[in-house]
Amino acid sequence: MRIKKGPATCRLSLPAKLCCASFASTTGVTLERRKLLEVLKQLGDVKDSLERRELLVNTPPQNIEDCCCLSALRCFRASLHVQFNVTERKQDKLYRSLKHPITERSLDFCKTGNAVSTCETCDSQPKATASEFVKRLESLIQRAISRLSDN
């Protein structure tokens, strides 16, 4: 086996390549699942402080179509940033995790490619209490974890 830095030069035998390809595909799912579990933990860490706020926040519905999960995530993230005025360290950590490309990839269930056009904008989502906001975000993340487990 020869691995060289710089432009990708890597010589592996066919069995080694198949093994690496198989490992890469399962590692991706594991990485996505770990990231989503991290998001759930971070949400749990800030849940009480968010729920105590007496706000009405744009909140995507519980039963989101598959193609709208990514736009729902973005709505949750925007609402968290704007409405909750993310200033505490733990809230900022959650916000950054929701913004992470692995989190976004984990919630992109749409296979058609033109998902955003059929989804409601964040501003058009009904307002809900902070407690309901947290519950629905948690539900969306759990749905993504379940979906990864099914694959």
Side-chain angles (χ1 to χ4, degrees), residues 26-143:
T26 57
T27 302
V29 170
T30 303
L31 187 62
E32 289 173 352
R33 189 172 192 284
R34 269 200 336 245
K35 186 64 179 175
L36 292 175
L37 289 171
E38 177 184 298
V39 169
L40 272 183
K41 183 191 177 312
Q42 291 168 346
L43 183 58
D45 290 345
V46 300
K47 187 176 186 173
D48 289 339
S49 68
L50 294 178
E51 288 180 337
R52 278 193 296 252
R53 305 217 180 150
E54 294 185 22
L55 293 173
L56 289 178
V57 186
N58 293 89
T59 307
Q62 186 82 23
N63 54 347
I64 303 163
E65 295 176 32
D66 280 353
C67 282
C68 293
C69 287
L70 184 55
S71 85
L73 172 69
R74 290 174 178 158
C75 180
F76 280 116
R77 187 176 65 219
S79 294
L80 181 67
H81 187 66
V82 174
Q83 299 294 327
F84 290 99
N85 191 17
V86 177
T87 54
E88 293 178 21
R89 185 171 178 223
K90 288 182 179 183
Q91 289 176 357
D92 183 54
K93 233 174 139 176
L94 172 62
Y95 174 76
R96 283 185 284 120
S97 286
L98 292 174
K99 198 173 182 174
H100 198 282
I102 294 173
T103 306
E104 288 202 344
R105 185 173 62 231
S106 302
L107 281 136
D108 189 4
F109 301 148
C110 195
K111 306 293 183 223
T112 61
N114 63 346
V116 180
S117 62
T118 60
C119 304
E120 290 185 46
T121 64
C122 193
D123 291 337
S124 67
Q125 299 288 355
K127 293 197 182 259
T129 63
S131 177
E132 187 63 25
F133 173 88
V134 170
K135 187 166 56 170
R136 289 185 191 173
L137 175 56
E138 185 175 39
S139 173
L140 179 67
I141 301 301
Q142 287 172 340
R143 177 178 173 185

Side-chain angles (χ1 to χ4, degrees), residues 11-31:
R11 292 184 186 171
L12 296 173
S13 66
L14 183 58
K17 286 180 183 176
L18 292 174
C19 175
C20 288
S22 172
F23 179 73
S25 66
T26 57
T27 302
V29 170
T30 303
L31 187 62

